[in-house]
């Protein structure tokens, strides 16, 4: 979003108050936003609110041409990298679908050659009206992006479809749309499975064996792969959130994780095992909470090594494993590369407090069977994930 020039069109529905927040989120992410409103929109929130927050005058009247240098609605349309209509009312959607430009907003949108992203928000019956549905289909066929409204509590006091989605959801969808528009989706058509988090091996209904993994690295990898266009499934034992375009499979134990990976393995292109899989699980799981005793012995049995098994089965699948070590990092990483038939092993030192498990940052060295090792110095896990995905792209192209 950095330096993205956004023409932000606000049309008249109760959701206008929510679009103030959306505009702020865009600005926070580095976008420059110029706003135009319909007169109906100004009934809900004053133009001054948008002016103060965007630091630009708000356009409302097509004929108040204060600067003789420019015709304002054409100038705004030409200036912007993207037009966002939020909220988009049934009325403005209808005008746009039918080529009507009878106010500043609709005239500017008629003159727009940049991508158009609409966030419809209206009463459920207005949304479902055949005319609105037809108009939305028309706009989509002209390559405008029309977001699906949310379902929930409407201003009318009942629940239904038509709500303006939360800003975070809109931004997520907008990011994907922008990447797709720019054609930066080298993983389009590729199926990627990422595992994340520390598995939990139940001892009894209230106790389990696990480890310190937060799942941050795996979730960041799933996100980075999705941003590059992949169809991503995230099999996770973590409670961290996921964007809705990523298919999330929630698991507890290593066995559950194994079953899901195994099921999808044949049809996938890339498997990234970022999960910290527990090496052992209790041989027996107690049905009831165990009572206190002075000494307890829990017999453990080895869990399946998911990566190793997939390594033995692989045909064309590209396998990425992790090596979380506290010593002899290189030697252990190279051993894993070979023993697990992996294509990449991402090794990190989990013995240091400022990196690895449970932190936002990491420093890793990536070992492969064809290239020299690559070290990515201490940085955010999001950035590490992007680097790993770039290597995956290079190697799978
Ligand atoms: O053998 P080790 O646990 O150190 O290997 C780490 C790599 O193997 C990680 O990618 C991890 O997700 C994967 N692994 C696995 N199944 C296990 C243990 C580890 O897939 N049971």
């Amino acid at each position: 979003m950095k330096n993205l020039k956004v023409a932000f069109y606000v049309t008249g529905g109760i959701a206008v108050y929510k679009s103030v927040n959306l505009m702020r989120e865009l600005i926070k992410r580095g976008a420059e936003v110029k706003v135009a409103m319909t007169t109906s929109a100004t009934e809900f929130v004053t133009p001054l609110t948008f002016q103060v927050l965007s630091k630009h005058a708000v356009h409302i009247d097509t004929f108040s041409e204060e600067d003789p240098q420019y015709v304002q609605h054409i100038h705004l349309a030409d200036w912007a990298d993207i037009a966002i209509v939020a909220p988009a009312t049934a009325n403005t959607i209808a005008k746009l679908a039918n080529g009507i430009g009878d106010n500043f907003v609709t005239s500017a949108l008629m003159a727009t050659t940049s991508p158009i992203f609409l966030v419809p928000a209206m009463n459920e019956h207005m949304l479902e009206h055949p005319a609105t549905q037809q108009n939305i289909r028309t706009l989509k066929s002209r390559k405008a992006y029309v977001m699906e409204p949310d379902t929930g509590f409407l201003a009318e006091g009942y629940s239904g479809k038509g709500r303006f989605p939360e800003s975070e959801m809109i931004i997520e969808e907008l990011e994907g749309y922008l990447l797709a528009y720019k054609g930066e989706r080298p993983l389009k058509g590729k199926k990627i499975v990422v595992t994340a988090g520390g598995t939990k091996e139940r001892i009894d209904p209230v106790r389990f064996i696990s480890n310190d993994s937060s799942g941050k690295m795996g979730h960041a990898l799933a996100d980075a792969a999705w941003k590059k266009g992949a169809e991503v499934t995230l099999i996770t034992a973590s409670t961290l959130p996921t964007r809705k375009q990523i298919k999330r499979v929630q698991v507890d134990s290593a066995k559950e994780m194994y079953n899901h990976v195994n099921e999808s393995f044949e049809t996938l292109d890339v498997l990234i095992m970022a999960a910290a899989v527990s090496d052992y699980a209790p041989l027996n799981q107690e049905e009831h909470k165990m009572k206190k005793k002075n000494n307890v012995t829990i017999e453990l049995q080895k869990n399946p090594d998911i990566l190793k098994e997939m390594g033995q089965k692989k045909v064309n699948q590209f396998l990425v494993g992790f090596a979380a070590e506290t010593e002899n990092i290189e030697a252990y990483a190279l051993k894993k590369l070979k023993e697990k038939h992996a294509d990449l092993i991402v090794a990190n030192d989990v013995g240091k407090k400022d990196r690895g498990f449970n932190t936002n940052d990491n420093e890793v060295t990536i070992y492969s069977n064809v290239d020299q090792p690559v070290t990515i110095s201490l940085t955010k896990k999001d950035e590490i994930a992007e680097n790993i995905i770039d290597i995956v792209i290079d190697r799978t192209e």
Side-chain angles (χ1 to χ4, degrees):
M1 300 263 161
K2 201 146 181 56
N3 301 326
L4 183 75
K5 295 193 192 108
V6 178
F8 195 83
Y9 298 101
V10 186
T11 70
I14 182 61
V16 175
Y17 81 93
K18 286 182 161 181
S19 73
V20 175
N21 183 257
L22 174 62
M23 183 192 67
R24 296 206 68 194
E25 291 298 326
L26 294 168
I27 293 169
K28 261 196 226 164
R29 285 166 174 77
E32 186 180 356
V33 181
K34 291 186 182 175
V35 179
M37 300 173 81
T38 59
T39 43
S40 332
T42 65
E43 296 284 336
F44 293 94
V45 173
T46 65
L48 188 62
T49 309
F50 286 98
Q51 179 181 306
V52 170
L53 295 170
S54 70
K55 300 193 170 59
H56 288 289
V58 172
H59 299 287
I60 300 160
D61 181 1
T62 325
F63 302 105
S64 74
E65 298 287 5
E66 274 150 22
D67 184 350
Q69 289 263 315
Y70 301 110
V71 176
Q72 288 302 331
H73 63 281
I74 308 292
H75 185 55
L76 179 63
D78 287 346
W79 167 84
D81 299 319
I82 185 166
I84 298 176
V85 192
T89 56
N91 188 37
T92 294
I93 287 171
K95 286 181 187 173
L96 197 52
N98 290 286
I100 297 167
D102 65 346
N103 59 34
F104 189 100
V105 168
T106 48
S107 302
L109 285 169
M110 284 294 296
T112 295
T113 53
S114 67
I116 300 181
F117 185 95
L118 295 108
V119 189
M122 64 195 74
N123 167 270
E124 184 175 39
H125 305 306
M126 292 173 85
L127 178 67
E128 280 171 0
H129 193 287
T132 307
Q133 288 301 314
Q134 176 66 48
N135 291 332
I136 289 175
R137 278 196 294 277
T138 302
L139 292 179
K140 284 184 177 169
S141 73
R142 289 187 203 138
K143 302 279 177 259
Y145 189 94
V146 187
M147 232 185 121
E148 202 62 29
D150 241 6
T151 300
F153 191 67
L154 298 174
E156 292 77 0
Y158 54 83
S159 187
K161 189 168 177 181
R163 271 167 61 92
F164 191 81
E166 296 310 318
S167 300
E168 283 294 323
M169 302 285 288
I170 299 173
I171 300 239
E172 274 184 8
E173 214 151 311
L174 184 61
E175 276 176 349
Y177 172 63
L178 284 168
L179 288 168
Y181 192 84
K182 284 193 264 171
E184 288 170 9
R185 312 211 96 185
L187 290 175
K188 195 166 183 336
K190 293 255 193 282
K191 282 194 181 158
I192 297 194
V193 168
V194 182
T195 64
T199 62
K200 288 179 184 164
E201 312 301 333
R202 291 271 158 206
I203 298 168
D204 70 14
V206 298
R207 302 182 179 95
F208 56 79
I209 297 172
S210 192
N211 58 61
D212 261 341
S213 167
S214 61
K216 279 183 188 149
M217 196 64 238
H219 280 239
L221 278 158
D223 220 45
W226 174 79
K227 281 186 181 159
K228 295 288 183 181
E231 189 189 313
V232 183
T233 302
L234 177 66
I235 303 173
T236 183
S238 161
T239 52
L240 289 172
T242 333
R243 65 172 74 232
K244 76 167 194 227
Q245 296 89 343
I246 291 175
K247 185 177 167 210
R248 181 187 185 120
V249 180
Q250 194 70 39
V251 295
D252 238 16
S253 67
K255 283 209 184 80
E256 274 180 75
M257 188 172 272
Y258 172 86
N259 289 340
H260 286 289
V261 171
N262 196 32
E263 247 168 50
S264 55
F265 191 70
E266 214 176 295
T267 58
L268 62 81
D269 298 291
V270 181
L271 170 66
I272 304 180
M273 284 293 309
V277 186
S278 300
D279 290 321
Y280 300 94
L283 184 60
N284 300 307
Q285 198 179 310
E286 299 296 329
E287 197 185 332
H288 298 288
K289 189 179 167 191
M290 283 165 72
K291 287 288 152 210
K292 283 193 201 82
K293 288 183 224 153
N294 278 345
N295 295 306
V296 177
T297 305
I298 299 169
E299 197 176 345
L300 301 176
Q301 69 172 350
K302 205 152 192 300
N303 268 329
D305 188 324
I306 307 172
L307 185 57
K308 196 170 174 182
E309 282 203 32
M310 299 307 131
Q312 281 158 1
K313 277 184 22 172
K314 83 169 175 184
V315 186
N316 292 315
Q317 292 91 340
F318 190 83
L319 302 191
V320 183
F322 275 71
E325 304 292 351
T326 53
E327 56 174 359
N328 299 335
I329 298 172
E330 177 162 5
Y332 286 138
L334 291 173
K335 192 163 171 255
K336 267 170 217 169
L337 196 62
K338 207 162 152 223
E339 280 179 3
K340 302 199 186 208
H341 298 280
D343 297 282
L344 296 181
I345 287 284
V346 183
N348 63 324
D349 187 342
V350 288
K352 295 183 180 155
K353 277 222 161 64
D354 60 345
R355 61 198 69 176
F357 276 163
N358 253 321
T359 59
N360 289 324
D361 297 342
N362 210 353
E363 176 173 294
V364 300
T365 301
I366 302 167
Y367 296 89
S368 98
N369 42 10
V370 294
D371 297 316
Q372 288 300 313
V374 179
T375 297
I376 306 168
S377 327
L378 192 63
T379 184
K380 299 257 156 299
K381 283 184 178 168
D382 291 351
E383 240 172 84
I384 304 236
E386 279 166 23
N387 277 289
I388 296 171
I389 294 298
D390 283 342
I391 295 176
V392 171
I393 291 168
D394 274 355
R395 290 283 307 275
T396 54
E397 249 164 11

